[in-house]
Amino acid sequence: MPAQQNPVRRRQLVAELRRLREEAGYTQEEVATQLDWHHTKVFRIETGRTGPHPNDVRVMCDLYGMRDKEHLAALIQLAKESRKRGWWYSYRDILPSRYEFLIGLEDEASAIHTFQLAVIPGLLQTEDYAYALCKGGPLELDADEIRRRVEVRINRQRVLAKPDRPQLWAIIDEAAIHRMVGGPEVMRTQLQHLLTVSEAGKTTLQVVPYAVGAHSGIVGPFVILRFADAAENDIVYMETIGGNLAVDKPEDVRNYTTAFDHLRAVALSPDETRTMLVTASKSIG
């Protein structure tokens, strides 16, 4: 599993290398032949499956006839940054497919919009709640795997403590605040944590009440990640049992953005949400 410190940097690099190749009039196969590489190497680089070494970038740019030294230096720096290992590298053996991709994107994002249908969003979970979820989840994990997955989830939350932290907007179906994950005490503490974070800056929390009935998130949870660079496309991330998915085609992302806007419109306001959380917390026996 390749480690990705800066997936956004990698995407920028890949897009530029692809553009330079196409402008030079080469196919992927022709580039591989010219550079005496395996015939799939250029494909793996341009699809982000392989992080190009700075030396790879140098020879590719030379082949493409790119002589701008400042431009070349910038691309080589992107290659170096995209290959750095993040803190999660030591957990790579237990991370689900593409999960490290999400962590890297969260670290780069300027805004994170998340909808959860049945559970509290990972960035807002307490440690005990996260442990109960992992233990009762769909995968058969041993005690050490559960412990390490919980460590990753809690460490992910450090992104919200950065000076340039992303703005977090979380919408939760009412079912998530009533599901007794981990027992009464764990759930009470989790709801109190939601109250605390909902009063902090850059975090907006809303609940979609049962009274709304069917809504635009009924088919499942998703996360929309946005970036400060206007040239960087938004990305939608979804977790599934069979493997996690990332979508970045603008027309596909737009569908999720529209769904999130509809959820915001029917959800309780942040103040009404806090009132519901207080009531739910008090109702726990």
Side-chain angles (χ1 to χ4, degrees):
M1 180 183 293
Q4 294 177 313
Q5 172 72 11
N6 288 301
V8 172
R9 301 287 191 274
R10 178 173 292 187
R11 292 171 75 231
Q12 292 172 337
L13 175 62
V14 164
E16 184 62 7
L17 290 175
R18 184 187 302 114
R19 184 188 69 80
L20 290 170
R21 175 182 60 76
E22 292 173 347
E23 286 188 354
Y26 286 105
T27 65
Q28 293 178 345
E29 293 77 10
E30 288 170 341
V31 172
T33 299
Q34 289 284 335
L35 298 178
D36 196 25
W37 287 350
H38 188 277
H39 69 279
T40 65
K41 182 170 180 176
V42 181
F43 169 78
R44 295 199 308 272
I45 288 175
E46 292 192 359
T47 56
R49 300 184 184 188
T50 297
H53 189 279
N55 288 339
D56 294 340
V57 173
R58 193 183 306 276
V59 296
M60 291 172 79
C61 287
D62 183 62
L63 177 64
Y64 302 156
M66 203 267 282
R67 301 291 180 256
D68 186 330
K69 292 183 178 179
E70 290 186 3
H71 192 183
L72 175 60
L75 293 180
I76 289 174
Q77 183 60 32
L78 278 177
K80 291 178 180 178
E81 292 177 0
S82 71
R83 291 172 64 86
K84 292 178 180 177
R85 292 174 176 175
W87 58 262
W88 55 89
Y89 183 74
S90 60
Y91 296 93
R92 66 194 183 281
D93 58 314
I94 53 93
L95 293 180
S97 170
R98 299 189 70 79
Y99 195 75
E100 64 168 331
F101 183 66
L102 170 65
I103 299 173
L105 291 175
E106 287 176 340
D107 195 58
E108 294 282 320
S110 60
I112 300 172
H113 293 177
T114 178
F115 169 72
Q116 286 292 337
L117 188 61
V119 299
I120 305 303
L123 289 175
L124 300 178
Q125 293 175 9
T126 64
E127 185 171 350
D128 288 340
Y129 182 95
Y131 179 87
L133 273 184
C134 288
K135 186 176 181 180
L139 302 179
E140 294 183 351
L141 305 172
D142 61 34
D144 186 61
E145 288 175 318
I146 293 173
R147 176 187 62 80
R148 295 178 68 211
R149 285 187 179 226
V150 171
E151 286 179 359
V152 171
R153 187 160 302 181
I154 298 306
N155 283 331
R156 272 178 57 204
Q157 298 175 7
R158 294 186 301 189
V159 72
L160 300 180
K162 299 194 310 178
D164 60 342
R165 57 156 284 180
Q167 180 268 343
L168 176 63
W169 196 312
I171 301 179
I172 309 169
D173 190 272
E174 185 176 350
I177 70 172
H178 294 305
R179 187 174 304 281
M180 201 60 56
V181 175
E185 189 56 37
V186 170
M187 200 61 204
R188 186 181 299 109
T189 300
Q190 176 64 73
L191 294 180
Q192 291 170 347
H193 178 62
L194 291 181
L195 280 168
T196 299
V197 298
S198 70
E199 295 170 352
K202 286 196 172 183
T203 297
T204 302
L205 180 64
Q206 292 181 271
V207 169
V208 179
Y210 287 142
V212 167
H215 55 70
S216 60
I218 204 72
V219 296
F222 58 90
V223 180
I224 304 172
L225 300 112
R226 293 179 167 172
F227 307 93
D229 186 348
E232 190 64 39
N233 290 339
D234 295 349
I235 297 176
V236 176
Y237 179 87
M238 293 161 285
E239 294 185 2
T240 72
I241 296 176
N244 300 335
L245 307 173
V247 175
D248 63 358
K249 290 184 179 179
E251 58 272 25
D252 294 332
V253 173
R254 194 177 303 116
N255 291 332
Y256 289 93
T257 300
T258 300
F260 195 83
D261 288 341
H262 289 168
L263 287 166
R264 283 193 286 201
V266 300
L268 299 176
S269 71
D271 286 341
E272 292 169 333
T273 291
R274 282 189 283 271
T275 299
M276 176 176 278
L277 289 173
V278 170
T279 301
S281 180
K282 290 180 178 178
S283 70
I284 297 175

